[in-house]
Amino acid sequence: MEKKTGKKIFNGIAIGKIRFYSKAENQVSRTKVEDTEAEIARYEEAKQKAAKQLEQLYEKALVEVGEANAEIFNVHIMMLEDDDFNESVHNIISAQKVNAEYAVASTGDNFAEMFANMEDEYFKARSADIKDITERVLSILCGNEEGGEIGDEPVIIVAEDLAPSETVQMDKSKLLAFVTRLGSSNSHTAILARTMGIPALAGVEIDHSWNGKIGIVDGYEGVFLVDPSMPVLEEYFKKKAADDEQKQLLQTLKGKENVTKSGQKINLYANIGNPGDLMSVLENDAGGIGLFRSEFLYLEATTYPTEEEQFQAYRKVVETMGGKKVIIRTLDIGADKQVEYFNLDKEDNPALGYRAIRICLTRPEIFRTQLRALFRASAYGNLAIMYPMIISVDEVRRIKEISVEVKKELLAEGVEIGNVEEGIMIETPAAAVMSDELAKMVDFFSVGTNDLTQYTLAIDRQNAKLDEFYDAHHPAVLRLIEMVVNNAHKAGIWAGICGELGADTTLTETFLKMGLDELSVSPGCILPVRKVIREAK
């Protein structure tokens, strides 16, 4: 038996036959051509066919994994139309009088390398997207069939890496788990695996001799076992049966209160990325939405979303939640979330740069449009607004001034506005330390533990090399959270957590002891956290 370890992508246990997945090899050679115009036409035809394939993949992904995860295929379509990429292909064909395959492969290699060498982690990740669309066009030019077939029996897929397009094309009924040598916990494929609920590991040293052998993926421990002995197999069959039973038992918690044995209650809300996630929120019995990432409207658009477009999206969410609280975070663009039409300058350290509320306060026309849409939507349900990346009392004062002006404008226009709570995210040590003063100015706090941990520990959470140093349980982080809760309660406001730490069930009892009023987690974590709450004393 061989035992390999990797990065945990999604929990769960899978047992089955191993199948190595490899895409069709596109053999590209450099060939001289006489008719360069005809060769450019070949490229354009292949590009259009690739765009149609991506449109079909988008529709398939929309049904299987939701709008937010399907959006990567729209991004790939836009990449196919990139002027710089297309000019490079055309120029290589025309200037060197070579075949389209060579021009596409050369351009793809150059662009992928350019992105891979960038310091910004977001742009580094785009290198894989360039490779994906390049391979797609080459497959069409070379006459290779699209991949995605994984056989007739359920298997554990092992691969060097998996592109989002490959993942979506696979028959999910035949897919037990993913194991890849490359990739990270933040890759698009990892996000798709979590959305589909498939156990997955990345960063595993793989061996092609495993093909056809029995494997075990333990997503809880980050372990991949190859050709296990019968006793080990029997042990894991028992573990898997217990895991499946536990998931079924969680369903019995629907409709139950989030209350400890001693009677302490806590609100349990869901984090979502767009209105397409609402079904998952309702299916998992969330008490409300504690974080609605409004930036999806900007990330999916080709220009600034209008007030009406935003209003319709916000209204849909609050109406669907039927009176349950919906907390919408204002625009959080910047850092690893870049939008081309914002024309943001390249920064050496974007995580500490021009982002979130800093953009809103220096480009008030964008901020006012969003606030108008939010206040209009508040008349249709229980809507609250929270502002990200706060570091000072002065920022909150400026936000409140703009907020008051926008509300006055709407009321003067005869627009109905609901009773809107306005709070801030505590994501910086500065905000945590100043939380006693900030609490006097807002209606609630929501702790964004992802960034709070990053900034407190001075560790880039996107950098895989620093994984061993990144400790979300660090005493300094927990002390800051407790300070925030205490200062909130002294001022008579409530405090919650909307970062990933909220779903960490090893800390649930700690958070209860701190007196947190709310935890907001991904929809699939609602019932597991509820179970721990109800078992706590």
Side-chain angles (χ1 to χ4, degrees):
M1 180 181 77
E2 292 185 66
K3 180 178 179 180
K4 299 291 183 179
T5 58
K7 299 173 187 173
K8 294 181 283 186
I9 303 299
F10 189 78
N11 291 337
I13 294 172
I15 304 170
K17 190 177 288 186
I18 297 168
R19 185 185 186 281
F20 265 82
Y21 178 90
S22 57
K23 61 188 75 179
E25 290 293 324
N26 294 309
Q27 299 294 335
V28 176
S29 57
R30 189 174 188 273
T31 306
K32 283 284 185 179
V33 298
E34 294 299 324
D35 191 345
T36 56
E37 290 300 318
E39 208 61 20
I40 288 173
R42 275 187 70 225
Y43 166 66
E44 289 297 326
E45 184 180 349
K47 189 179 73 172
Q48 292 306 314
K49 188 174 180 180
K52 287 182 180 178
Q53 289 177 355
L54 288 166
E55 287 172 5
Q56 291 169 354
L57 283 173
Y58 173 80
E59 295 300 327
K60 188 173 188 290
L62 202 60
V63 174
E64 295 182 354
V65 294
E67 187 176 358
N69 293 307
E71 188 58 28
I72 181 59
F73 300 113
N74 276 338
V75 173
H76 283 193
I77 292 170
M78 286 189 284
M79 284 181 165
L80 276 175
E81 298 300 330
D82 181 75
D83 289 340
D84 293 331
F85 189 94
N86 283 291
E87 284 176 14
S88 173
V89 174
H90 286 201
N91 287 339
I92 290 173
I93 293 173
S94 300
Q96 300 181 34
K97 293 189 176 182
V98 293
N99 55 321
E101 290 89 341
Y102 178 80
V104 171
S106 296
T107 298
D109 287 344
N110 293 338
F111 274 65
E113 183 180 2
M114 178 177 67
F115 276 98
N117 288 333
M118 290 183 176
E119 293 183 6
D120 184 271
E121 291 296 323
Y122 174 85
F123 288 112
K124 277 186 178 181
R126 301 289 71 76
S127 176
D129 295 323
I130 293 292
K131 291 177 182 176
D132 196 9
I133 63 169
T134 300
E135 286 300 318
R136 180 171 297 281
V137 175
L138 285 175
S139 292
I140 294 167
L141 288 169
C142 295
N144 288 329
E145 295 270 329
E146 278 293 311
E149 295 301 321
I150 58 178
D152 297 326
E153 62 179 325
V155 291
I156 295 170
I157 290 294
V158 177
E160 284 288 311
D161 200 2
L162 287 167
S165 55
E166 293 167 330
T167 309
V168 167
Q169 288 177 96
M170 292 177 183
D171 182 349
K172 305 308 176 292
S173 67
K174 304 292 193 303
L175 191 55
L176 298 174
F178 293 137
V179 176
T180 61
R181 185 179 71 83
L182 303 175
S184 72
S185 58
N186 294 315
S187 69
H188 290 301
T189 299
I191 293 168
L192 287 170
R194 284 193 287 266
T195 304
M196 292 185 290
I198 297 171
L201 301 175
V204 177
E205 293 182 19
I206 63 176
D207 187 330
H208 284 262
S209 67
W210 298 342
N211 199 41
K213 294 181 179 179
I214 296 297
I216 299 172
V217 175
D218 186 338
Y220 294 101
E221 300 295 330
V223 170
F224 183 40
L225 304 174
V226 181
D227 199 15
S229 64
M230 188 54 68
V232 172
L233 259 179
E234 290 174 352
E235 177 190 351
Y236 266 95
F237 275 124
K238 290 177 182 176
K239 283 186 177 180
K240 187 176 187 313
D243 190 47
D244 292 342
E245 183 181 0
Q246 187 63 37
K247 289 175 181 175
Q248 286 298 317
L249 284 172
L250 286 174
Q251 297 301 308
T252 65
L253 293 175
K254 288 184 177 180
K256 301 289 179 67
E257 283 190 298
N258 308 303
V259 58
T260 66
K261 290 180 178 179
S262 64
Q264 182 182 353
K265 293 183 179 181
I266 187 169
N267 288 317
L268 195 50
Y269 294 166
N271 297 336
I272 68 170
N274 64 54
D277 297 330
L278 285 171
M279 183 57 70
S280 185
V281 173
L282 298 174
E283 285 177 351
N284 286 281
D285 196 35
I289 293 173
L291 169 61
F292 176 26
R293 302 177 179 93
S294 69
E295 55 270 14
F296 91 93
L297 286 164
Y298 300 82
L299 291 166
E300 294 179 4
T302 55
T303 188
Y304 298 102
T306 65
E307 177 185 328
E308 187 62 25
E309 288 170 338
Q310 294 190 60
F311 163 68
Q312 293 297 341
Y314 305 145
R315 175 181 172 175
K316 178 180 179 180
V317 174
V318 295
E319 284 185 332
T320 302
M321 290 306 292
K324 293 180 179 178
K325 189 184 292 293
V326 175
I327 303 173
I328 300 178
R329 178 175 70 189
T330 57
L331 176 64
D332 191 7
I333 290 295
D336 61 331
K337 290 173 284 191
Q338 297 289 321
V339 179
E340 186 176 348
Y341 58 85
F342 270 68
N343 296 314
L344 302 179
D345 294 332
K346 186 182 183 306
E347 297 178 299
D348 291 335
N349 196 342
L352 299 179
Y354 187 54
R355 58 175 294 198
I357 203 65
R358 297 164 186 175
I359 293 176
C360 291
L361 290 177
T362 53
R363 297 171 73 171
E365 70 284 356
I366 297 173
F367 193 32
R368 285 176 176 273
T369 298
Q370 181 170 35
L371 287 178
R372 282 181 61 89
L374 286 166
F375 284 123
R376 284 175 60 194
S378 70
Y380 296 87
N382 186 0
L383 186 150
I385 303 172
M386 68 178 176
Y387 305 101
M389 279 298 292
I390 299 300
I391 63 168
S392 70
V393 168
D394 181 60
E395 285 175 338
V396 177
R397 188 176 293 115
R398 291 166 65 190
I399 291 167
K400 291 183 77 172
E401 288 172 357
I402 296 172
S403 172
V404 168
E405 288 173 5
V406 169
K407 281 188 279 189
K408 284 181 179 178
E409 288 173 5
L410 290 169
L411 291 171
E413 295 168 15
V415 175
E416 185 182 351
I417 297 174
N419 184 22
V420 181
E421 282 189 315
E422 294 180 68
I424 61 172
M425 292 188 71
I426 305 293
E427 301 171 274
T428 65
V433 172
M434 291 298 296
S435 57
D436 57 337
E437 294 298 319
L438 292 168
K440 300 171 186 176
M441 308 178 70
V442 297
D443 298 313
F444 65 91
F445 287 153
S446 187
V447 183
T449 55
N450 303 353
D451 273 333
L452 182 62
T453 303
Q454 171 176 240
Y455 297 136
T456 302
L457 303 184
I459 285 180
D460 179 0
R461 61 189 174 97
Q462 304 274 3
N463 190 336
K465 292 179 181 178
L466 299 177
D467 282 353
E468 64 178 295
F469 302 103
Y470 186 88
D471 178 15
H473 290 209
H474 195 290
V477 176
L478 298 179
R479 285 186 186 183
L480 287 176
I481 294 172
E482 187 168 25
M483 178 195 301
V484 168
V485 176
N486 290 337
N487 285 332
H489 290 169
K490 285 177 185 176
I493 67 172
W494 64 268
I497 287 178
C498 66
E500 292 298 314
L501 214 56
D504 187 338
T505 53
T506 66
L507 286 175
T508 304
E509 291 196 47
T510 300
F511 293 147
L512 288 166
K513 289 175 183 175
M514 287 182 185
L516 274 151
D517 304 286
E518 176 249 18
L519 296 174
S520 189
V521 300
S522 61
C525 294
I526 293 288
L527 296 178
V529 174
R530 179 174 294 167
K531 181 176 183 293
V532 176
I533 292 170
R534 291 178 63 84
E535 291 174 352
K537 295 180 179 179

